[in-house]
Amino acid sequence: MRGIFILLASLFSLPTMAIITSFSESEVALMHTVFSQHQSDFTRHSTQARLNENQYLLAQAHKHQPRLLTRQADVGYATVFHTRRYVLSLLKSHFTDINLPSAPKIDWSLYTKTALLADLPPYPNDNQYSPMQLTQLESINLAPLTGMPFTLAELMLEQSMQNRYKLHQGDYALFKKLIGDIRQYHHLVTSLATHLTHSGIALKHLNLIAAGELLRSPMLNYFGVQSHMHGERSPYVEVLKRKITHSDITAFYVKNKADFKHKSRVTASGVLFSTSQAATAFKQVAQATSFKKALKQYALKSIFSDTQGKVTRKQNSQWAHQVVFSLKESLLTGPIRSPDGKWLVAQTHHIKFDYYAIDSETVRYQATLALIEDLAQQTYRQNKQAWLKTHKLSL
């Protein structure tokens, strides 16, 4: 596993959170420009607060989700790969007025496709290199191509599963593009070193900013303050869920009872016709007079007459019942083609509303979701503010 530690200790590795950073005015201004491109009313104060919050999230990632520091998904790119690309984008967008020399051309004869295939071990079907394979990859020095210390192990560990497979298949064009991107990054940061210093911008701070932005969303999801939590919950959110009591749900129900109002019964009339023309003619009579008179004129019975026109939620397994149960009160609709090719004309006459029982599964589920979200937001806000205060960062 030595190769993994070498990767994380490399130039592009994520900064340790042992040192809390106070960003310079220039660094905050740079990110204010970036954030404002996506949200025009994003203020400088909001920028500073976001950068500080991202430091908190990075610190929590080190503590609770260290796997995110390596990669966010087993089949995706390494976090360090995305970090380098983010920093490259920041530099390109900020130093637009500086004429930089072109990057030296790469002599690809120094490392050919044949050499690449010879140096790569058999493709790991489980997406994990063995310690022996990592040692082999670490021994291949790509610095003559990248212009900076870089090994084949670092290149392969950064890649997505798809890219890694392509490289093992001998995709030399992909290899050249990846190496070219690293070479461009190294050339740019080297050429801009003096400009960065004069501008009050530190490359290590840009790496920290990039890492914070990249891990922001998954960490907010982890704390339950960003997602709607209808899917898989993090262990952290599951712990919060266990704090929700029956008394909490009861209090929520009483306070938000209007949210649990539902349509319980509809009184309606409906007729099915073999053709749309017959259905249209019937509807015109119903519009001119009433549905009841149209039934009498056509000597028809409503398809809901067996239940005196009453349609309940429990009857929603039938198509016509589903249609009328979804209609607004007094609405005449049709012709609507049924699944079996007939044509429905229907009208609701009255809608009865009710409330879900306090001990129903619907109440328990919806109340729990809302209470978890509130508790997650409150807990996150308190913990973040305490952390920022401890490290003397602005809220």
Side-chain angles (χ1 to χ4, degrees):
M1 301 301 290
R2 179 170 165 267
I4 295 178
F5 292 110
I6 288 178
L7 174 66
L8 294 178
S10 69
L11 175 63
F12 306 122
S13 62
L14 300 184
T16 175
M17 292 307 299
I19 301 174
I20 305 304
T21 301
S22 294
F23 298 107
S24 70
E25 291 290 330
S26 298
E27 290 161 351
V28 174
L30 187 159
M31 294 311 299
H32 181 217
T33 300
V34 172
F35 295 147
S36 297
Q37 291 174 355
H38 303 285
Q39 185 177 332
S40 59
D41 60 346
F42 207 88
T43 65
R44 188 198 175 285
H45 176 77
S46 297
T47 301
Q48 181 71 68
R50 181 171 177 127
L51 295 179
N52 290 341
E53 181 183 28
N54 284 354
Q55 289 199 74
Y56 167 71
L57 291 170
L58 269 178
Q60 299 310 302
H62 275 266
K63 183 177 180 180
H64 299 289
Q65 293 280 279
R67 64 176 181 82
L68 293 177
L69 303 174
T70 303
R71 60 185 0 104
Q72 295 184 29
D74 291 340
V75 299
Y77 293 97
T79 302
V80 72
F81 177 89
H82 292 297
T83 300
R84 183 172 63 239
R85 289 170 61 90
Y86 193 102
V87 172
L88 183 62
S89 176
L90 290 178
L91 294 175
K92 284 183 174 180
S93 65
H94 186 68
F95 293 99
T96 55
D97 299 331
I98 298 175
N99 292 321
L100 298 174
S102 301
K105 291 186 177 180
I106 300 175
D107 183 0
W108 296 108
S109 67
L110 297 174
Y111 197 72
T112 63
K113 176 179 179 179
T114 302
L116 173 65
L117 288 173
D119 288 335
L120 287 174
Y123 177 74
N125 292 323
D126 62 354
N127 200 34
Q128 298 293 324
Y129 291 115
S130 69
M132 184 178 296
Q133 288 175 328
L134 282 173
T135 300
Q136 175 185 338
L137 292 171
E138 289 163 16
S139 68
I140 309 303
N141 180 25
L142 298 179
L145 305 180
T146 61
M148 55 175 282
F150 207 76
T151 69
L152 187 56
E154 291 174 280
L155 179 71
M156 300 306 290
L157 289 173
E158 285 187 1
Q159 300 310 308
S160 65
M161 181 184 289
Q162 183 181 35
N163 266 13
R164 192 176 299 163
Y165 179 78
K166 288 181 178 179
L167 291 170
H168 275 273
Q169 297 301 306
D171 192 334
Y172 193 62
L174 174 61
F175 174 79
K176 292 173 70 173
K177 179 184 184 307
L178 295 171
I179 292 296
D181 289 344
I182 297 169
R183 178 78 170 210
Q184 181 186 21
Y185 174 89
H186 175 64
H187 173 71
L188 187 61
V189 298
T190 302
S191 302
L192 289 175
T194 301
H195 297 286
L196 286 168
T197 301
H198 290 166
S199 300
I201 297 174
L203 183 61
K204 64 179 181 179
H205 289 180
L206 294 185
N207 275 281
L208 176 62
I209 289 170
E213 279 298 303
L214 290 168
L215 268 63
R216 178 181 179 86
S217 183
M219 285 307 297
L220 289 176
N221 287 337
Y222 174 80
F223 287 122
V225 297
Q226 178 169 274
S227 70
H228 295 294
M229 294 181 295
H230 289 292
E232 183 180 355
R233 299 188 184 98
S234 69
Y236 172 87
V237 175
E238 288 296 333
V239 171
L240 292 182
K241 180 184 176 183
R242 291 196 287 270
K243 295 181 180 180
I244 306 298
T245 66
H246 179 71
S247 297
D248 294 329
I249 293 175
T250 299
F252 183 89
Y253 178 82
V254 171
K255 183 178 180 181
N256 302 277
K257 190 173 181 179
D259 294 339
F260 296 102
K261 186 178 181 181
H262 68 94
K263 189 184 295 185
S264 61
R265 191 177 69 196
V266 171
T267 303
S269 299
V271 187
L272 287 167
F273 295 90
S274 300
T275 66
S276 61
Q277 292 82 357
T280 300
F282 177 90
K283 182 180 179 182
Q284 291 173 346
V285 174
Q287 285 176 323
T289 56
S290 69
F291 207 101
K292 184 177 181 179
K293 290 181 179 179
L295 286 173
K296 185 176 182 179
Q297 178 176 327
Y298 277 79
L300 296 172
K301 287 178 59 177
S302 168
I303 58 176
F304 309 120
S305 60
D306 291 345
T307 56
Q308 292 75 50
K310 295 179 176 61
V311 178
T312 64
R313 183 175 295 276
K314 293 180 180 179
Q315 297 169 309
N316 270 357
S317 60
Q318 301 178 45
W319 176 81
H321 290 74
Q322 291 176 3
V323 172
V324 299
F325 203 83
S326 66
L327 298 178
K328 295 181 180 180
E329 190 165 89
S330 301
L331 180 64
L332 175 65
T333 188
I336 303 174
R337 188 178 178 84
S338 72
D340 59 0
K342 294 183 179 181
W343 297 87
L344 172 70
V345 178
Q347 184 176 31
T348 56
H349 306 302
H350 178 69
I351 297 176
K352 183 180 184 298
F353 291 92
D354 207 342
Y355 295 92
Y356 287 109
I358 195 169
D359 58 350
S360 68
E361 179 63 23
T362 298
V363 170
R364 186 198 65 77
Y365 177 76
Q366 293 184 5
T368 300
L369 280 182
L371 289 168
I372 291 175
E373 186 171 352
D374 289 344
L375 182 57
Q377 293 280 359
Q378 179 183 347
T379 304
Y380 174 78
R381 185 168 53 252
Q382 292 173 347
N383 291 341
K384 179 187 71 175
Q385 290 176 344
W387 187 90
L388 292 174
K389 185 176 181 181
T390 297
H391 293 88
K392 297 180 173 57
L393 296 175
S394 59
L395 302 178

mmCIF file with all atom_site columns, all heavy atoms in Angstrom, residues 316-337:
data_model
loop_
_atom_site.group_PDB
_atom_site.id
_atom_site.type_symbol
_atom_site.label_atom_id
_atom_site.label_alt_id
_atom_site.label_comp_id
_atom_site.label_asym_id
_atom_site.label_entity_id
_atom_site.label_seq_id
_atom_site.pdbx_PDB_ins_code
_atom_site.Cartn_x
_atom_site.Cartn_y
_atom_site.Cartn_z
_atom_site.occupancy
_atom_site.B_iso_or_equiv
_atom_site.pdbx_formal_charge
_atom_site.auth_seq_id
_atom_site.auth_comp_id
_atom_site.auth_asym_id
_atom_site.auth_atom_id
_atom_site.pdbx_PDB_model_num
ATOM 1   N N   . ASN A 1 316 ? -59.051 3.166  -5.850  1.00 0.00 ? 316 ASN A N   1
ATOM 2   C CA  . ASN A 1 316 ? -58.196 3.741  -6.888  1.00 0.00 ? 316 ASN A CA  1
ATOM 3   C C   . ASN A 1 316 ? -57.488 2.720  -7.769  1.00 0.00 ? 316 ASN A C   1
ATOM 4   O O   . ASN A 1 316 ? -56.694 3.082  -8.621  1.00 0.00 ? 316 ASN A O   1
ATOM 5   C CB  . ASN A 1 316 ? -57.132 4.664  -6.262  1.00 0.00 ? 316 ASN A CB  1
ATOM 6   C CG  . ASN A 1 316 ? -57.654 6.089  -6.156  1.00 0.00 ? 316 ASN A CG  1
ATOM 7   O OD1 . ASN A 1 316 ? -58.754 6.377  -6.587  1.00 0.00 ? 316 ASN A OD1 1
ATOM 8   N ND2 . ASN A 1 316 ? -56.856 6.962  -5.568  1.00 0.00 ? 316 ASN A ND2 1
ATOM 9   N N   . SER A 1 317 ? -57.761 1.439  -7.548  1.00 0.00 ? 317 SER A N   1
ATOM 10  C CA  . SER A 1 317 ? -57.146 0.429  -8.400  1.00 0.00 ? 317 SER A CA  1
ATOM 11  C C   . SER A 1 317 ? -57.786 0.398  -9.785  1.00 0.00 ? 317 SER A C   1
ATOM 12  O O   . SER A 1 317 ? -57.211 -0.120 -10.735 1.00 0.00 ? 317 SER A O   1
ATOM 13  C CB  . SER A 1 317 ? -57.251 -0.949 -7.745  1.00 0.00 ? 317 SER A CB  1
ATOM 14  O OG  . SER A 1 317 ? -58.622 -1.294 -7.542  1.00 0.00 ? 317 SER A OG  1
ATOM 15  N N   . GLN A 1 318 ? -58.985 0.954  -9.926  1.00 0.00 ? 318 GLN A N   1
ATOM 16  C CA  . GLN A 1 318 ? -59.675 0.985  -11.211 1.00 0.00 ? 318 GLN A CA  1
ATOM 17  C C   . GLN A 1 318 ? -59.391 2.297  -11.932 1.00 0.00 ? 318 GLN A C   1
ATOM 18  O O   . GLN A 1 318 ? -59.403 3.367  -11.310 1.00 0.00 ? 318 GLN A O   1
ATOM 19  C CB  . GLN A 1 318 ? -61.183 0.815  -10.999 1.00 0.00 ? 318 GLN A CB  1
ATOM 20  C CG  . GLN A 1 318 ? -61.553 -0.504 -10.295 1.00 0.00 ? 318 GLN A CG  1
ATOM 21  C CD  . GLN A 1 318 ? -63.039 -0.616 -10.068 1.00 0.00 ? 318 GLN A CD  1
ATOM 22  O OE1 . GLN A 1 318 ? -63.832 -0.338 -10.963 1.00 0.00 ? 318 GLN A OE1 1
ATOM 23  N NE2 . GLN A 1 318 ? -63.428 -1.017 -8.858  1.00 0.00 ? 318 GLN A NE2 1
ATOM 24  N N   . TRP A 1 319 ? -59.194 2.206  -13.242 1.00 0.00 ? 319 TRP A N   1
ATOM 25  C CA  . TRP A 1 319 ? -58.751 3.368  -14.005 1.00 0.00 ? 319 TRP A CA  1
ATOM 26  C C   . TRP A 1 319 ? -59.723 4.539  -13.890 1.00 0.00 ? 319 TRP A C   1
ATOM 27  O O   . TRP A 1 319 ? -59.310 5.674  -13.616 1.00 0.00 ? 319 TRP A O   1
ATOM 28  C CB  . TRP A 1 319 ? -58.575 2.958  -15.472 1.00 0.00 ? 319 TRP A CB  1
ATOM 29  C CG  . TRP A 1 319 ? -58.216 4.113  -16.350 1.00 0.00 ? 319 TRP A CG  1
ATOM 30  C CD1 . TRP A 1 319 ? -56.986 4.664  -16.522 1.00 0.00 ? 319 TRP A CD1 1
ATOM 31  C CD2 . TRP A 1 319 ? -59.123 4.884  -17.150 1.00 0.00 ? 319 TRP A CD2 1
ATOM 32  N NE1 . TRP A 1 319 ? -57.050 5.723  -17.391 1.00 0.00 ? 319 TRP A NE1 1
ATOM 33  C CE2 . TRP A 1 319 ? -58.353 5.884  -17.789 1.00 0.00 ? 319 TRP A CE2 1
ATOM 34  C CE3 . TRP A 1 319 ? -60.500 4.825  -17.392 1.00 0.00 ? 319 TRP A CE3 1
ATOM 35  C CZ2 . TRP A 1 319 ? -58.917 6.812  -18.658 1.00 0.00 ? 319 TRP A CZ2 1
ATOM 36  C CZ3 . TRP A 1 319 ? -61.058 5.750  -18.264 1.00 0.00 ? 319 TRP A CZ3 1
ATOM 37  C CH2 . TRP A 1 319 ? -60.280 6.737  -18.882 1.00 0.00 ? 319 TRP A CH2 1
ATOM 38  N N   . ALA A 1 320 ? -61.018 4.311  -14.101 1.00 0.00 ? 320 ALA A N   1
ATOM 39  C CA  . ALA A 1 320 ? -61.995 5.402  -14.067 1.00 0.00 ? 320 ALA A CA  1
ATOM 40  C C   . ALA A 1 320 ? -62.049 6.043  -12.684 1.00 0.00 ? 320 ALA A C   1
ATOM 41  O O   . ALA A 1 320 ? -62.204 7.262  -12.552 1.00 0.00 ? 320 ALA A O   1
ATOM 42  C CB  . ALA A 1 320 ? -63.379 4.882  -14.466 1.00 0.00 ? 320 ALA A CB  1
ATOM 43  N N   . HIS A 1 321 ? -61.906 5.226  -11.647 1.00 0.00 ? 321 HIS A N   1
ATOM 44  C CA  . HIS A 1 321 ? -61.896 5.762  -10.284 1.00 0.00 ? 321 HIS A CA  1
ATOM 45  C C   . HIS A 1 321 ? -60.677 6.661  -10.059 1.00 0.00 ? 321 HIS A C   1
ATOM 46  O O   . HIS A 1 321 ? -60.769 7.704  -9.405  1.00 0.00 ? 321 HIS A O   1
ATOM 47  C CB  . HIS A 1 321 ? -61.899 4.619  -9.267  1.00 0.00 ? 321 HIS A CB  1
ATOM 48  C CG  . HIS A 1 321 ? -63.191 3.863  -9.221  1.00 0.00 ? 321 HIS A CG  1
ATOM 49  N ND1 . HIS A 1 321 ? -63.572 2.980  -10.206 1.00 0.00 ? 321 HIS A ND1 1
ATOM 50  C CD2 . HIS A 1 321 ? -64.200 3.860  -8.293  1.00 0.00 ? 321 HIS A CD2 1
ATOM 51  C CE1 . HIS A 1 321 ? -64.756 2.457  -9.903  1.00 0.00 ? 321 HIS A CE1 1
ATOM 52  N NE2 . HIS A 1 321 ? -65.162 2.975  -8.735  1.00 0.00 ? 321 HIS A NE2 1
ATOM 53  N N   . GLN A 1 322 ? -59.535 6.260  -10.606 1.00 0.00 ? 322 GLN A N   1
ATOM 54  C CA  . GLN A 1 322 ? -58.327 7.077  -10.483 1.00 0.00 ? 322 GLN A CA  1
ATOM 55  C C   . GLN A 1 322 ? -58.512 8.435  -11.137 1.00 0.00 ? 322 GLN A C   1
ATOM 56  O O   . GLN A 1 322 ? -58.074 9.458  -10.614 1.00 0.00 ? 322 GLN A O   1
ATOM 57  C CB  . GLN A 1 322 ? -57.142 6.342  -11.119 1.00 0.00 ? 322 GLN A CB  1
ATOM 58  C CG  . GLN A 1 322 ? -56.687 5.105  -10.373 1.00 0.00 ? 322 GLN A CG  1
ATOM 59  C CD  . GLN A 1 322 ? -55.575 4.393  -11.114 1.00 0.00 ? 322 GLN A CD  1
ATOM 60  O OE1 . GLN A 1 322 ? -55.095 4.847  -12.156 1.00 0.00 ? 322 GLN A OE1 1
ATOM 61  N NE2 . GLN A 1 322 ? -55.144 3.259  -10.576 1.00 0.00 ? 322 GLN A NE2 1
ATOM 62  N N   . VAL A 1 323 ? -59.181 8.420  -12.301 1.00 0.00 ? 323 VAL A N   1
ATOM 63  C CA  . VAL A 1 323 ? -59.380 9.678  -13.034 1.00 0.00 ? 323 VAL A CA  1
ATOM 64  C C   . VAL A 1 323 ? -60.228 10.649 -12.228 1.00 0.00 ? 323 VAL A C   1
ATOM 65  O O   . VAL A 1 323 ? -59.835 11.797 -12.003 1.00 0.00 ? 323 VAL A O   1
ATOM 66  C CB  . VAL A 1 323 ? -60.031 9.410  -14.407 1.00 0.00 ? 323 VAL A CB  1
ATOM 67  C CG1 . VAL A 1 323 ? -60.416 10.736 -15.079 1.00 0.00 ? 323 VAL A CG1 1
ATOM 68  C CG2 . VAL A 1 323 ? -59.077 8.628  -15.307 1.00 0.00 ? 323 VAL A CG2 1
ATOM 69  N N   . VAL A 1 324 ? -61.391 10.212 -11.761 1.00 0.00 ? 324 VAL A N   1
ATOM 70  C CA  . VAL A 1 324 ? -62.286 11.137 -11.067 1.00 0.00 ? 324 VAL A CA  1
ATOM 71  C C   . VAL A 1 324 ? -61.720 11.541 -9.707  1.00 0.00 ? 324 VAL A C   1
ATOM 72  O O   . VAL A 1 324 ? -61.978 12.649 -9.222  1.00 0.00 ? 324 VAL A O   1
ATOM 73  C CB  . VAL A 1 324 ? -63.711 10.558 -10.907 1.00 0.00 ? 324 VAL A CB  1
ATOM 74  C CG1 . VAL A 1 324 ? -64.334 10.294 -12.273 1.00 0.00 ? 324 VAL A CG1 1
ATOM 75  C CG2 . VAL A 1 324 ? -63.714 9.301  -10.062 1.00 0.00 ? 324 VAL A CG2 1
ATOM 76  N N   . PHE A 1 325 ? -60.951 10.653 -9.087  1.00 0.00 ? 325 PHE A N   1
ATOM 77  C CA  . PHE A 1 325 ? -60.391 10.978 -7.777  1.00 0.00 ? 325 PHE A CA  1
ATOM 78  C C   . PHE A 1 325 ? -59.352 12.095 -7.880  1.00 0.00 ? 325 PHE A C   1
ATOM 79  O O   . PHE A 1 325 ? -59.091 12.804 -6.913  1.00 0.00 ? 325 PHE A O   1
ATOM 80  C CB  . PHE A 1 325 ? -59.751 9.734  -7.151  1.00 0.00 ? 325 PHE A CB  1
ATOM 81  C CG  . PHE A 1 325 ? -59.657 9.811  -5.656  1.00 0.00 ? 325 PHE A CG  1
ATOM 82  C CD1 . PHE A 1 325 ? -60.736 9.472  -4.857  1.00 0.00 ? 325 PHE A CD1 1
ATOM 83  C CD2 . PHE A 1 325 ? -58.489 10.226 -5.036  1.00 0.00 ? 325 PHE A CD2 1
ATOM 84  C CE1 . PHE A 1 325 ? -60.660 9.550  -3.469  1.00 0.00 ? 325 PHE A CE1 1
ATOM 85  C CE2 . PHE A 1 325 ? -58.395 10.307 -3.659  1.00 0.00 ? 325 PHE A CE2 1
ATOM 86  C CZ  . PHE A 1 325 ? -59.489 9.967  -2.871  1.00 0.00 ? 325 PHE A CZ  1
ATOM 87  N N   . SER A 1 326 ? -58.793 12.282 -9.073  1.00 0.00 ? 326 SER A N   1
ATOM 88  C CA  . SER A 1 326 ? -57.771 13.316 -9.267  1.00 0.00 ? 326 SER A CA  1
ATOM 89  C C   . SER A 1 326 ? -58.351 14.654 -9.733  1.00 0.00 ? 326 SER A C   1
ATOM 90  O O   . SER A 1 326 ? -57.630 15.649 -9.816  1.00 0.00 ? 326 SER A O   1
ATOM 91  C CB  . SER A 1 326 ? -56.734 12.837 -10.292 1.00 0.00 ? 326 SER A CB  1
ATOM 92  O OG  . SER A 1 326 ? -57.327 12.693 -11.570 1.00 0.00 ? 326 SER A OG  1
ATOM 93  N N   . LEU A 1 327 ? -59.658 14.683 -10.038 1.00 0.00 ? 327 LEU A N   1
ATOM 94  C CA  . LEU A 1 327 ? -60.272 15.903 -10.569 1.00 0.00 ? 327 LEU A CA  1
ATOM 95  C C   . LEU A 1 327 ? -60.578 16.922 -9.474  1.00 0.00 ? 327 LEU A C   1
ATOM 96  O O   . LEU A 1 327 ? -60.773 16.574 -8.313  1.00 0.00 ? 327 LEU A O   1
ATOM 97  C CB  . LEU A 1 327 ? -61.575 15.558 -11.295 1.00 0.00 ? 327 LEU A CB  1
ATOM 98  C CG  . LEU A 1 327 ? -61.472 14.647 -12.517 1.00 0.00 ? 327 LEU A CG  1
ATOM 99  C CD1 . LEU A 1 327 ? -62.866 14.369 -13.071 1.00 0.00 ? 327 LEU A CD1 1
ATOM 100 C CD2 . LEU A 1 327 ? -60.585 15.274 -13.572 1.00 0.00 ? 327 LEU A CD2 1
ATOM 101 N N   . LYS A 1 328 ? -60.621 18.181 -9.882  1.00 0.00 ? 328 LYS A N   1
ATOM 102 C CA  . LYS A 1 328 ? -61.068 19.233 -8.975  1.00 0.00 ? 328 LYS A CA  1
ATOM 103 C C   . LYS A 1 328 ? -62.586 19.185 -8.858  1.00 0.00 ? 328 LYS A C   1
ATOM 104 O O   . LYS A 1 328 ? -63.274 18.597 -9.699  1.00 0.00 ? 328 LYS A O   1
ATOM 105 C CB  . LYS A 1 328 ? -60.630 20.599 -9.506  1.00 0.00 ? 328 LYS A CB  1
ATOM 106 C CG  . LYS A 1 328 ? -59.121 20.794 -9.533  1.00 0.00 ? 328 LYS A CG  1
ATOM 107 C CD  . LYS A 1 328 ? -58.767 22.185 -10.059 1.00 0.00 ? 328 LYS A CD  1
ATOM 108 C CE  . LYS A 1 328 ? -57.257 22.378 -10.090 1.00 0.00 ? 328 LYS A CE  1
ATOM 109 N NZ  . LYS A 1 328 ? -56.884 23.735 -10.609 1.00 0.00 ? 328 LYS A NZ  1
ATOM 110 N N   . GLU A 1 329 ? -63.097 19.826 -7.834  1.00 0.00 ? 329 GLU A N   1
ATOM 111 C CA  . GLU A 1 329 ? -64.537 19.778 -7.584  1.00 0.00 ? 329 GLU A CA  1
ATOM 112 C C   . GLU A 1 329 ? -65.314 20.445 -8.717  1.00 0.00 ? 329 GLU A C   1
ATOM 113 O O   . GLU A 1 329 ? -64.925 21.510 -9.219  1.00 0.00 ? 329 GLU A O   1
ATOM 114 C CB  . GLU A 1 329 ? -64.861 20.448 -6.253  1.00 0.00 ? 329 GLU A CB  1
ATOM 115 C CG  . GLU A 1 329 ? -66.303 20.224 -5.799  1.00 0.00 ? 329 GLU A CG  1
ATOM 116 C CD  . GLU A 1 329 ? -66.490 20.587 -4.340  1.00 0.00 ? 329 GLU A CD  1
ATOM 117 O OE1 . GLU A 1 329 ? -66.795 21.764 -4.065  1.00 0.00 ? 329 GLU A OE1 1
ATOM 118 O OE2 . GLU A 1 329 ? -66.314 19.701 -3.493  1.00 0.00 ? 329 GLU A OE2 1
ATOM 119 N N   . SER A 1 330 ? -66.418 19.779 -9.124  1.00 0.00 ? 330 SER A N   1
ATOM 120 C CA  . SER A 1 330 ? -67.349 20.266 -10.158 1.00 0.00 ? 330 SER A CA  1
ATOM 121 C C   . SER A 1 330 ? -66.749 20.295 -11.561 1.00 0.00 ? 330 SER A C   1
ATOM 122 O O   . SER A 1 330 ? -67.346 20.858 -12.478 1.00 0.00 ? 330 SER A O   1
ATOM 123 C CB  . SER A 1 330 ? -67.885 21.671 -9.810  1.00 0.00 ? 330 SER A CB  1
ATOM 124 O OG  . SER A 1 330 ? -68.544 21.640 -8.567  1.00 0.00 ? 330 SER A OG  1
ATOM 125 N N   . LEU A 1 331 ? -65.613 19.685 -11.740 1.00 0.00 ? 331 LEU A N   1
ATOM 126 C CA  . LEU A 1 331 ? -64.969 19.711 -13.051 1.00 0.00 ? 331 LEU A CA  1
ATOM 127 C C   . LEU A 1 331 ? -65.557 18.629 -13.954 1.00 0.00 ? 331 LEU A C   1
ATOM 128 O O   . LEU A 1 331 ? -65.637 17.470 -13.584 1.00 0.00 ? 331 LEU A O   1
ATOM 129 C CB  . LEU A 1 331 ? -63.458 19.500 -12.901 1.00 0.00 ? 331 LEU A CB  1
ATOM 130 C CG  . LEU A 1 331 ? -62.660 19.509 -14.212 1.00 0.00 ? 331 LEU A CG  1
ATOM 131 C CD1 . LEU A 1 331 ? -62.736 20.880 -14.875 1.00 0.00 ? 331 LEU A CD1 1
ATOM 132 C CD2 . LEU A 1 331 ? -61.204 19.125 -13.950 1.00 0.00 ? 331 LEU A CD2 1
ATOM 133 N N   . LEU A 1 332 ? -65.984 19.056 -15.146 1.00 0.00 ? 332 LEU A N   1
ATOM 134 C CA  . LEU A 1 332 ? -66.469 18.140 -16.173 1.00 0.00 ? 332 LEU A CA  1
ATOM 135 C C   . LEU A 1 332 ? -65.327 17.885 -17.143 1.00 0.00 ? 332 LEU A C   1
ATOM 136 O O   . LEU A 1 332 ? -64.745 18.830 -17.683 1.00 0.00 ? 332 LEU A O   1
ATOM 137 C CB  . LEU A 1 332 ? -67.659 18.753 -16.916 1.00 0.00 ? 332 LEU A CB  1
ATOM 138 C CG  . LEU A 1 332 ? -68.218 17.961 -18.106 1.00 0.00 ? 332 LEU A CG  1
ATOM 139 C CD1 . LEU A 1 332 ? -68.823 16.630 -17.641 1.00 0.00 ? 332 LEU A CD1 1
ATOM 140 C CD2 . LEU A 1 332 ? -69.259 18.806 -18.852 1.00 0.00 ? 332 LEU A CD2 1
ATOM 141 N N   . THR A 1 333 ? -64.982 16.626 -17.368 1.00 0.00 ? 333 THR A N   1
ATOM 142 C CA  . THR A 1 333 ? -63.829 16.313 -18.196 1.00 0.00 ? 333 THR A CA  1
ATOM 143 C C   . THR A 1 333 ? -64.157 15.234 -19.209 1.00 0.00 ? 333 THR A C   1
ATOM 144 O O   . THR A 1 333 ? -65.095 14.455 -19.028 1.00 0.00 ? 333 THR A O   1
ATOM 145 C CB  . THR A 1 333 ? -62.642 15.853 -17.328 1.00 0.00 ? 333 THR A CB  1
ATOM 146 O OG1 . THR A 1 333 ? -61.473 15.733 -18.144 1.00 0.00 ? 333 THR A OG1 1
ATOM 147 C CG2 . THR A 1 333 ? -62.920 14.508 -16.667 1.00 0.00 ? 333 THR A CG2 1
ATOM 148 N N   . GLY A 1 334 ? -63.369 15.162 -20.242 1.00 0.00 ? 334 GLY A N   1
ATOM 149 C CA  . GLY A 1 334 ? -63.528 14.136 -21.263 1.00 0.00 ? 334 GLY A CA  1
ATOM 150 C C   . GLY A 1 334 ? -63.668 14.744 -22.644 1.00 0.00 ? 334 GLY A C   1
ATOM 151 O O   . GLY A 1 334 ? -63.743 15.968 -22.790 1.00 0.00 ? 334 GLY A O   1
ATOM 152 N N   . PRO A 1 335 ? -63.757 13.907 -23.656 1.00 0.00 ? 335 PRO A N   1
ATOM 153 C CA  . PRO A 1 335 ? -63.568 12.449 -23.578 1.00 0.00 ? 335 PRO A CA  1
ATOM 154 C C   . PRO A 1 335 ? -62.106 12.084 -23.292 1.00 0.00 ? 335 PRO A C   1
ATOM 155 O O   . PRO A 1 335 ? -61.194 12.667 -23.865 1.00 0.00 ? 335 PRO A O   1
ATOM 156 C CB  . PRO A 1 335 ? -63.990 11.951 -24.954 1.00 0.00 ? 335 PRO A CB  1
ATOM 157 C CG  . PRO A 1 335 ? -64.716 13.104 -25.611 1.00 0.00 ? 335 PRO A CG  1
ATOM 158 C CD  . PRO A 1 335 ? -64.113 14.332 -25.028 1.00 0.00 ? 335 PRO A CD  1
ATOM 159 N N   . ILE A 1 336 ? -61.925 11.098 -22.433 1.00 0.00 ? 336 ILE A N   1
ATOM 160 C CA  . ILE A 1 336 ? -60.602 10.571 -22.120 1.00 0.00 ? 336 ILE A CA  1
ATOM 161 C C   . ILE A 1 336 ? -60.575 9.102  -22.531 1.00 0.00 ? 336 ILE A C   1
ATOM 162 O O   . ILE A 1 336 ? -61.440 8.328  -22.122 1.00 0.00 ? 336 ILE A O   1
ATOM 163 C CB  . ILE A 1 336 ? -60.280 10.701 -20.619 1.00 0.00 ? 336 ILE A CB  1
ATOM 164 C CG1 . ILE A 1 336 ? -60.388 12.167 -20.160 1.00 0.00 ? 336 ILE A CG1 1
ATOM 165 C CG2 . ILE A 1 336 ? -58.896 10.142 -20.323 1.00 0.00 ? 336 ILE A CG2 1
ATOM 166 C CD1 . ILE A 1 336 ? -60.225 12.338 -18.665 1.00 0.00 ? 336 ILE A CD1 1
ATOM 167 N N   . ARG A 1 337 ? -59.573 8.743  -23.312 1.00 0.00 ? 337 ARG A N   1
ATOM 168 C CA  . ARG A 1 337 ? -59.482 7.368  -23.800 1.00 0.00 ? 337 ARG A CA  1
ATOM 169 C C   . ARG A 1 337 ? -58.999 6.448  -22.675 1.00 0.00 ? 337 ARG A C   1
ATOM 170 O O   . ARG A 1 337 ? -57.999 6.718  -22.018 1.00 0.00 ? 337 ARG A O   1
ATOM 171 C CB  . ARG A 1 337 ? -58.528 7.283  -24.989 1.00 0.00 ? 337 ARG A CB  1
ATOM 172 C CG  . ARG A 1 337 ? -58.521 5.918  -25.681 1.00 0.00 ? 337 ARG A CG  1
ATOM 173 C CD  . ARG A 1 337 ? -57.587 5.936  -26.887 1.00 0.00 ? 337 ARG A CD  1
ATOM 174 N NE  . ARG A 1 337 ? -57.509 4.643  -27.548 1.00 0.00 ? 337 ARG A NE  1
ATOM 175 C CZ  . ARG A 1 337 ? -58.357 4.206  -28.453 1.00 0.00 ? 337 ARG A CZ  1
ATOM 176 N NH1 . ARG A 1 337 ? -59.359 4.988  -28.839 1.00 0.00 ? 337 ARG A NH1 1
ATOM 177 N NH2 . ARG A 1 337 ? -58.229 3.019  -29.002 1.00 0.00 ? 337 ARG A NH2 1
#
